[in-house]
Each structure stands twice: as structure tokens, then as C-alpha cells.
Amino acid sequence: MKLVVVSAGLGVPSSTRLLADRLAAAAERHTAVEVEFVEVRDLAVEIAHGLTTGFPGPALSAAIEAVRGADGLIAVTPVFSASYGGLFKSFFDTVGGVDRDALAGTPVLVAATGGSARHSLVLDHALRPLFAYLRAVVVPTGVYAASEDWGAPGLADRIDRGAAELARLMRPTAALPAPGQEPAEVVPFAERLAALGQA
């Protein structure tokens, strides 16, 4: 299974990337995944060109393909003005512009970093609506890390809980057989959701 981690931190080093790394490591502890990172900061110029011309460059195209092919996604943004970062939103605008169904049915763990715990509602008031619009399946636990959270046990617990929920949604499960039929092949979660939408 493929897990794609989208990190939209602007600095180097970045607390956003640190949180992304911790979430990816926690997901790997819960299920076998191949992890690929997308560092949005490195795509800034191509994102701007892609939005204005409609033609993403090669690095941006590769990142979009990674997201489209993911069995699960971790999306981490810094908080600016009580919402997600503009570069973060522009990246997902570009993804949706290339393929409006790119994230349909994909399990997503949302996370954010900020200087104050007062911005923690960004998870519910900005990130969840964004990914609901993209028809992704957002796991119940979002992870917010304020400056004072680093090193605190509560953050580690939230990271582990969110990663466990993501891992459960990513795991293939056996489809239920019809009466009198043999058990069907294992069907990934995203494919089962897509089939439900087509029924």
C-alpha cells in the first residue's frame, strides 16, 4: 500500500515537516506502507504556473500522480490567519483541477501546526470541509501541534491515534459474499467506496 504525505511547511527546518514525519512513522508502525513525501514548498513556482496556465510542470505532475495513486494520505499545513496555508490550498486546487476525483474515497489524516492552541479549530473549520469537498474520507482524529505541544505526551497520543485510524481505513478487507457464493477477492477500501458511489 502507498501512503503519500503532503507537507506544506515554508521554513527549513519546519515544524510542519516534523509533524508529517512523526505521523508517517506512526502509520508505518500500524500497517505496512510505502511512504512518499510531497514537499509543497519545493513546488511553489510550478503550482503558480499550473494555476495560471492550466499546465502543471514535471515535478508538480509527479506529485499530483503520487496523490492520485495513494491508498492513504497525510496532509499537514501550517496555520496562517486561522486557516490552512495558501500554498497548501493551491496545491490541492491544482490536484482537483487535473482530476476532480483524485481524492474520492481516499482515507486522509489531516494535521496542522501553529504558534498557539487557539488555532486548533482549523482542523474542523477549514481542513475537514476542504477534504469533504474533494470527497476524501477524513479520519476522526485530526492532529494539531502548537508550539507548547512539542515534547508533551498528549501530542504523541494524538499522533498514534490518528495514524491508527488511517491505517485501519487503508487496510484491504474482504468483500462479503452473496448467499451461496464463494468469498470474493480482497477489495481495497477506496474501490469499495467508489463502487458504492456508482451503484
Side-chain angles (χ1 to χ4, degrees):
M1 288 186 299
K2 182 178 177 182
L3 173 64
V4 174
V5 183
V6 176
S7 173
L10 299 181
V12 179
S14 163
S15 61
T16 302
R17 178 56 192 260
L18 177 59
L19 181 57
D21 288 341
R22 288 194 181 184
L23 289 165
E28 287 182 295
R29 289 194 297 271
H30 286 282
T31 191
V33 289
E34 173 191 341
V35 179
E36 180 175 347
F37 280 87
V38 172
E39 195 67 58
V40 179
R41 176 181 179 272
D42 298 336
L43 302 170
V45 172
E46 287 196 21
I47 289 170
H49 288 165
L51 287 173
T52 55
T53 66
F55 297 101
L60 179 56
S61 294
I64 292 170
E65 286 306 308
V67 169
R68 291 174 71 187
D71 297 299
L73 184 72
I74 295 173
V76 192
T77 180
V79 175
F80 296 106
S81 302
S83 189
Y84 37 63
L87 195 55
F88 177 87
K89 177 64 162 55
S90 294
F91 173 73
F92 284 104
D93 285 344
T94 307
V95 171
V98 170
D99 179 4
R100 59 180 295 185
D101 296 323
L103 289 175
T106 303
V108 177
L109 170 57
V110 295
T113 58
S116 165
R118 292 192 303 271
H119 295 301
S120 62
L121 289 177
V122 70
L123 298 173
D124 294 321
H125 291 274
L127 289 170
R128 286 185 190 280
L130 170 64
F131 287 101
Y133 176 79
L134 295 170
R135 297 190 292 129
V137 179
V138 183
V139 304
T141 300
V143 180
Y144 180 81
S147 299
E148 63 267 23
D149 288 328
W150 295 103
L155 177 59
D157 293 343
R158 292 194 305 276
I159 287 172
D160 190 68
R161 186 167 61 246
E165 291 168 357
L166 178 65
R168 278 196 296 273
L169 288 179
M170 287 178 66
R171 284 192 203 109
T173 56
L176 294 176
Q181 289 185 342
E182 293 294 318
E185 62 182 285
V186 172
V187 180
F189 178 79
E191 290 181 22
R192 288 185 288 126
L193 276 183
L196 286 173
Q198 296 169 2

